[in-house]
Amino acid sequence: MPPIKRTKFKLGHDQLLEMFYWLKLIRAFDERLSNLVKQGKVRSGVYTGIGQEAIIVGTCYGLRKEDWICPLHRDLGSFLMKGVSAREMMSQMFAKATGLSKGRDSALHSGVSELGIFGNTSMLGANLPVAAGVGLTFRMEKTDNVVIAYFGEGASNVGDFHEALNIAGVQRLPIIFICENNQYAYSVPLEKTMAIDDVADRAESYGFDGVSINGNDVLAVYQATQGALARARKGEGPTLIECKTYRWHGHSEHDKAFYRTKEELAMWKSRDPIPTFAAYLKGLHELSDEQLGEIEGRVKATIDDAVDFAMNAPDPDPADAATDLYA
Ligand SMILES: Cc1ncc(C[n+]2csc(CCOP(=O)(O)OP(=O)(O)O)c2C)c(N)n1
């Protein structure tokens, strides 16, 4: 694995620690959810992004409130980084009245328009033409806001992906397409769905740049995103960033992932984005043991509080079932 290096978009000490906090928080949130699923306490299907956190932190860190994101089923952390509280997020997974959809749905299908989060549908790739629409709106409103659209390598084989990239390229829309290439689409390995190695290569045929990077290196993801953001804000159009990574758990918590080997998982665990970043920060004397302990304590307190809040929160009132419905 190539060493992490800081390059163009410099980050100060506090920012580096903040990024580290987000990595730890998102990991801890998913790990706690996974345990709660095993205890039969979660109502939602849970699709963890454990192992992929560097993509969310590197892309969401420093976004403006006005920038939009179109997240995927595995991108719970992006909601947190865009400003949804851990309490609300946990309530959502418990389908409680205090969750984002007030108990109408118990997964990541909710959006929060005030925070620039578009709710995802289950159809793979369907968020990408929507992102193109958001980008077109930004253009028509003459803002320099940008939309970030996430998708898996599996989704890059459906028609919606190609239509979205085409219109984004033709119209030079302010979009960053983030591919979370975690090697598997459910149980199907990459080589059975793609005849090329890099999803990034697909951008060229739509007239814009695609780059393939180490998606477990939070600073590499941050650098690539910042470059793409700067170009998009100047009206220079879209970028596709393919982040190579691996999901440690199955497709969802009910999937034991027997289709892959223990050795493969162990190899990817040795590339865990969190200790890699911790070692880098320690090497630069940006992270002391004391600071690490403080961050871990803060993360644990936040998650404990969120679980406690969600478990004790009220269920939705059946009388409210038709509230907020639009015909
Ligand atoms: C159009 C469509 N086809 C199939 C499915 C069923 N399905 C849900 S998730 C998934 C795999 C997704 O793989 P990928 O796009 O690589 O994202 P990942 O889950 O690996 O993050 C499949 C096949 C779906 N939801 N939508």
Side-chain angles (χ1 to χ4, degrees), residues 30 33 44-50 52 56 70-79 89 93 106-110 118-125 127 150-155 180 182 184-186 247 250-253:
D30 267 348
L33 261 183
S44 171
V46 170
Y47 305 82
T48 69
I50 297 174
Q52 304 186 186
I56 295 302
C70 295
L72 277 184
H73 46 281
R74 234 172 269 298
D75 301 333
L76 184 154
S78 67
F79 286 73
M89 216 54 226
M93 307 315 283
S106 59
L108 299 185
H109 295 125
S110 294
F118 203 92
N120 192 15
T121 60
S122 289
M123 296 306 291
L124 289 178
N127 61 336
Y150 299 88
F151 62 98
E153 79 291 346
E180 300 171 346
N182 60 17
Y184 288 88
Y186 211 127
R247 64 164 157 73
H251 171 70
S252 67
E253 291 305 292

Side-chain angles (χ1 to χ4, degrees), residues 35-66:
N35 287 337
L36 289 163
V37 169
K38 290 185 191 109
Q39 294 166 24
K41 292 189 173 150
V42 182
R43 290 172 179 163
S44 171
V46 170
Y47 305 82
T48 69
I50 297 174
Q52 304 186 186
E53 298 87 350
I55 301 174
I56 295 302
V57 177
T59 52
C60 289
Y61 190 80
L63 280 188
R64 298 176 185 164
K65 195 172 157 213
E66 296 75 24

Side-chain angles (χ1 to χ4, degrees), residues 14-259:
D14 291 348
Q15 294 170 306
L16 289 168
L17 287 193
E18 213 177 352
M19 276 185 147
F20 186 67
Y21 165 79
W22 283 117
L23 287 171
K24 296 284 274 185
L25 183 77
I26 296 168
R27 168 74 55 90
F29 200 106
D30 267 348
E31 281 181 339
R32 187 69 67 89
L33 261 183
S34 172
N35 287 337
L36 289 163
V37 169
K38 290 185 191 109
Q39 294 166 24
K41 292 189 173 150
V42 182
R43 290 172 179 163
S44 171
V46 170
Y47 305 82
T48 69
I50 297 174
Q52 304 186 186
E53 298 87 350
I55 301 174
I56 295 302
V57 177
T59 52
C60 289
Y61 190 80
L63 280 188
R64 298 176 185 164
K65 195 172 157 213
E66 296 75 24
D67 295 322
W68 275 66
I69 58 169
C70 295
L72 277 184
H73 46 281
R74 234 172 269 298
D75 301 333
L76 184 154
S78 67
F79 286 73
L80 297 172
M81 290 194 72
K82 253 330 215 131
V84 177
S85 73
R87 284 181 168 196
E88 266 179 297
M89 216 54 226
M90 200 58 91
S91 298
Q92 175 68 10
M93 307 315 283
F94 278 80
K96 292 296 184 83
T98 46
L100 297 176
S101 59
K102 301 176 192 153
R104 285 173 182 75
D105 147 74
S106 59
L108 299 185
H109 295 125
S110 294
V112 190
S113 48
E114 316 81 73
L115 297 174
I117 306 174
F118 203 92
N120 192 15
T121 60
S122 289
M123 296 306 291
L124 289 178
N127 61 336
L128 302 176
V130 170
V134 176
L136 189 58
T137 307
F138 289 157
R139 157 81 50 77
M140 290 167 78
E141 289 176 344
K142 301 196 184 333
T143 72
D144 66 349
N145 299 332
V146 176
V147 53
I148 299 203
Y150 299 88
F151 62 98
E153 79 291 346
S156 77
N157 299 312
V158 301
D160 278 353
F161 165 86
H162 296 276
E163 291 182 30
L165 264 70
N166 188 51
I167 193 73
V170 169
Q171 293 281 338
R172 312 305 295 162
L173 297 177
I175 303 183
I176 307 177
F177 294 100
I178 300 289
C179 178
E180 300 171 346
N181 182 350
N182 60 17
Q183 318 298 322
Y184 288 88
Y186 211 127
S187 55
V188 185
L190 188 79
E191 60 275 13
K192 291 210 170 137
T193 57
M194 282 173 44
I196 55 173
D197 291 331
D198 298 321
V199 175
D201 290 349
R202 295 185 165 172
E204 194 185 349
S205 50
Y206 298 109
F208 57 93
D209 283 345
V211 286
S212 191
I213 61 169
N214 175 1
N216 284 10
D217 175 344
V218 69
L219 294 182
V221 179
Y222 178 75
Q223 294 295 332
T225 306
Q226 290 300 307
L229 273 173
R231 288 191 299 278
R233 294 204 199 286
K234 280 192 278 179
E236 291 174 17
T239 305
L240 191 165
I241 303 173
E242 176 188 14
C243 304
K244 308 257 194 201
T245 187
Y246 197 79
R247 64 164 157 73
W248 290 11
H249 286 202
H251 171 70
S252 67
E253 291 305 292
H254 63 255
D255 168 25
K256 300 212 179 323
F258 290 133
Y259 43 83

